[in-house]
Amino acid sequence: MMRFYPGCTLSSSAKPYSRSLAWVWKRLEIEMAELPGWTCCGATAAHALNRDLAYALPARNLAIAQELGDDLIVACSACYSRLKIAQKALENPQTRERVAGVLGRALDGRVQIKNILEVLSAHAPRIQKEKTKALEGLKVACYYGCLATRIPRVEGFDDRENPTMMERLVSAAGATALDWPAKTSCCGASFSVIREEIALKMCSQILEMARRCGADVITTSCPFCQYNLDWAQWALSQQDGQKPKIPVLFITQLVGLALGGSEKELMLGANLTPSPFPKREGRRCSPPRVGEG
Amino acid sequence: MKTLAGDRQFLKEIETHSGEPVRRCFQCDRCATGCPMAPYMQHTPNELFRLIQLGDRRAVLASNAFWFCVSCYTCSVRCPNDIDIAHVMDTLRELSLREGFTPALPQARDFHELFLDCVRRSGRVSELELMARYNLKLRKPFSRFALGWELLRKGRLELWPKRTGELRKIFKALTPNPSPVVTYGRGVPQGRGEGQKEQYKEQR
Ligand code: SF4
Ligand code: SF4
């Protein structure tokens, strides 16, 4: 069976992600259970300050999955990257022995860690077959950010600098995927807390690029990317009174819309940028006019 | 062997600790070209690596480069010599703290420490708790109030997250102190560097 590792953000700032994801799983009849007793992967904080923790914290979750004999499905790009990096580091017998000793659990490195985009892509034909016309004509900029694809020395699920898996999903969902150059740019990550002005600048550049390429919406699979791009538009609107322009949707919200999910079921109202989609189910969407004036 | 600026021990130390072949860097500048944080860094990654090769310990460990590094891994996947540069940045950050250098971005250190303390105590991170503690640490309890309210209103902050004490054991085994967080003091805690220096020596 597939075990889902949600990570800390999915029950909090990325709540719309976990809601829409659960809805899409159900709709596509994908069987998935949460990893029992999962704990935080340590995120950037662990590898920034303490390398031992950066390996031990993800390893604990790998050990649980291994004991169950299950694959691990990860939605958050940061968790995905940390789990993959730790698994790679644990290939070193000394590191593995040390970490296994601290955890008091065996580690064999055989757990398959899969990104949510891989799982969704496997169902692209079904999404294509069962999609409604909700997304027709919508121009979507797919934003991957850093951590989903750039993992040193680890074979990823897609190209590191020019991934295309989300584009294929978006096309399957009936929308138009844009070719744009900022899809793996950095959103500034935790700098949106520790040095806001820097993250704001980085996000603005990405948003501006999306706008120039004619994007109606941006979609992403990373909770931090979604939050930062969402937050940046909100923050700018507080500063200069401009309305946020480009909605930032989780990929599961977009796929969910194509499959007939309602605004409430997909928690679209929780995004800080306004939803471009109609409130009532089944009505055709009219993309917002972006880039005018 | 003494080199121009310092000693070779430093290069070896960094290489051993990080496991990365820093000596291979031949200054192609590819890392710096793609680095989104290069404009804020006193030394770009390649400059930092040159200083490591020259053995200039002080200049390297006092640099702000690894504090501004966001770990985006652009450099690491592009380096033609297969050096995981972002990982070396982590190593330098750890070393710099242990040797008592004042962090160029104290709030980054505080944020990461508070994050880890949340993980230690609860097993998972509550963003609400983390932000509240971070605000207290900065002595700006009401900063981002409007944003927090907006997120709360939209159901994007969890009030009562699930907690587990499972990780305390692991933290105890892997951190020198029971908690990586120092007491709430005004500004940069005094004497902290000294203590850490001793601990590091003991570990070695
Ligand atoms: S990319 Fe690698 S070899 Fe080139 S300057 Fe940077 S560290 Fe040196
Ligand atoms: S990982 Fe750090 S040093 Fe490397 S490109 Fe990103 S910000 Fe720059």
Side-chain angles (χ1 to χ4, degrees):
Chain A
M1 192 160 79
M2 294 195 281
R3 292 283 173 174
F4 182 54
Y5 178 83
C8 303
T9 52
L10 261 81
S11 54
S12 189
S13 64
K15 188 97 187 175
Y17 199 9
S18 55
R19 279 273 185 87
S20 53
L21 191 133
W23 189 89
V24 171
W25 284 168
K26 211 166 147 211
R27 174 72 178 67
L28 294 175
E29 292 142 354
I30 301 176
E31 254 193 70
M32 186 107 50
E34 197 170 295
L35 185 75
W38 65 269
T39 43
C40 176
C41 71
T44 313
H47 75 84
L49 299 180
N50 185 328
R51 183 171 43 160
D52 292 334
L53 283 175
Y55 298 150
L57 293 176
R60 183 180 175 275
N61 298 295
L62 292 175
I64 300 177
Q66 177 192 312
E67 283 154 23
L68 294 164
D70 291 337
D71 291 351
L72 212 50
I73 311 300
V74 189
C76 169
S77 300
C79 301
Y80 177 72
S81 150
R82 287 335 301 174
L83 287 162
K84 280 280 199 187
I85 288 175
Q87 195 177 43
K88 183 82 197 166
L90 293 171
E91 282 175 11
N92 177 325
Q94 278 167 317
T95 312
R96 191 173 58 228
E97 211 171 285
R98 213 163 103 74
V99 172
V102 170
L103 297 179
R105 296 175 121 121
L107 292 161
D108 66 9
R110 276 207 306 254
V111 178
Q112 291 275 330
I113 308 167
K114 287 203 183 123
N115 191 282
I116 184 180
L117 290 178
E118 290 173 88
V119 182
L120 282 173
S121 287
H123 289 79
R126 248 193 93 186
I127 296 172
Q128 178 142 29
K129 215 166 83 205
E130 295 173 25
K131 64 168 191 277
T132 62
K133 288 193 170 169
L135 302 184
E136 223 168 55
L138 194 74
K139 290 200 255 36
V140 184
C142 300
Y143 180 60
Y144 297 79
C146 305
L147 298 177
T149 59
R150 278 200 295 272
I151 307 176
R153 297 185 198 126
V154 170
E155 201 187 332
F157 60 89
D158 207 338
D159 192 275
R160 282 166 166 172
E161 308 243 18
N162 187 21
T164 49
M165 212 172 244
M166 246 195 291
E167 275 85 349
R168 277 176 273 153
L169 265 174
V170 163
S171 305
T176 311
L178 290 175
D179 190 14
W180 74 307
K183 58 170 131 177
T184 53
S185 297
C186 177
C187 70
S190 61
F191 274 67
S192 64
V193 176
I194 57 183
R195 281 291 289 273
E196 286 188 21
E197 75 286 2
I198 294 181
L200 214 50
K201 203 167 149 196
M202 294 164 85
C203 289
S204 301
Q205 285 168 353
I206 294 164
L207 291 163
E208 177 59 18
M209 186 56 83
R211 192 188 67 79
R212 284 199 205 170
C213 294
D216 296 323
V217 300
I218 296 174
T219 188
T220 180
S221 63
C222 174
F224 297 101
C225 296
Q226 199 280 341
Y227 173 80
N228 273 10
L229 292 182
D230 221 12
W231 157 81
Q233 296 189 71
W234 179 86
L236 290 172
S237 76
Q238 301 294 100
Q239 278 174 17
D240 60 12
Q242 279 183 30
K243 284 231 157 61
K245 291 201 180 86
I246 309 183
V248 189
L249 303 185
F250 288 107
I251 182 71
T252 43
Q253 289 182 310
L254 199 84
V255 170
L257 277 163
L259 293 174
S262 70
E263 173 155 341
K264 195 155 165 251
E265 284 164 329
L266 303 169
M267 223 176 151
L268 282 176
N271 297 15
L272 297 178
T273 42
S275 153
F277 302 99
K279 281 209 162 51
R280 271 181 290 130
E281 242 173 294
R283 214 171 82 191
R284 258 188 73 160
C285 87
S286 45
R289 293 168 53 128
V290 182
E292 277 182 351
Chain B
M1 191 186 84
K2 281 270 176 195
T3 51
L4 207 56
D7 65 300
R8 278 229 178 218
Q9 260 348 81
F10 188 48
L11 173 65
K12 280 212 192 102
E13 194 182 329
I14 301 291
E15 289 194 335
T16 318
H17 194 88
S18 68
E20 298 296 327
V22 175
R23 69 185 64 204
R24 277 198 215 152
C25 171
F26 51 29
Q27 297 297 316
C28 72
D29 209 16
R30 223 174 150 189
C31 47
T33 311
C35 175
M37 304 310 269
Y40 309 100
M41 291 177 177
Q42 281 159 355
H43 308 98
T44 55
N46 59 309
E47 286 169 357
L48 210 57
F49 283 12
R50 191 75 191 118
L51 288 170
I52 296 174
Q53 290 166 347
L54 288 170
D56 197 341
R57 187 181 197 101
R58 249 207 98 69
V60 170
L61 294 183
S63 177
N64 73 359
F66 39 86
W67 287 106
F68 276 88
C69 167
V70 277
S71 309
C72 72
Y73 288 98
T74 312
C75 51
S76 299
V77 301
R78 287 184 186 172
C79 176
N81 286 316
D82 192 28
I83 309 173
D84 185 348
I85 299 156
H87 183 61
V88 179
M89 292 290 194
D90 288 343
T91 304
L92 293 173
R93 200 181 301 108
E94 264 188 67
L95 225 63
S96 159
L97 278 178
R98 280 180 182 174
E99 304 212 350
F101 286 88
T102 312
L105 267 179
Q107 66 268 49
R109 179 204 57 197
D110 293 347
F111 184 73
H112 294 323
E113 283 184 344
L114 288 168
F115 187 101
L116 285 181
D117 197 54
C118 288
V119 179
R120 181 185 70 86
R121 298 205 306 191
S122 318
R124 299 174 190 178
V125 171
S126 149
E127 289 169 322
L128 192 63
E129 180 192 343
L130 176 62
M131 286 318 297
R133 290 178 67 187
Y134 181 69
N135 280 352
L136 278 179
K137 179 99 195 179
L138 291 187
R139 302 188 162 255
K140 286 185 203 154
F142 297 112
S143 74
R144 296 192 194 81
F145 189 77
L147 176 63
W149 175 248
E150 185 73 6
L151 290 172
L152 196 65
R153 198 172 66 83
K154 299 213 161 196
R156 291 181 71 170
L157 276 179
E158 196 179 26
L159 289 178
W160 309 112
K162 270 206 188 122
R163 290 168 154 262
T164 158
E166 277 275 310
L167 298 184
R168 284 176 190 253
K169 230 175 38 240
I170 299 177
F171 273 79
K172 205 163 174 192
L174 295 178
T175 45
N177 304 311
S179 152
V181 178
V182 273
T183 44
Y184 291 88
R186 266 174 225 273
V188 182
Q190 293 300 311
R192 165 196 172 79
E194 287 312 309
Q196 284 194 333
K197 201 168 185 169
E198 275 156 30
Q199 260 160 14
Y200 184 46
K201 272 193 195 135
E202 273 168 34
Q203 274 187 0
R204 281 196 293 184

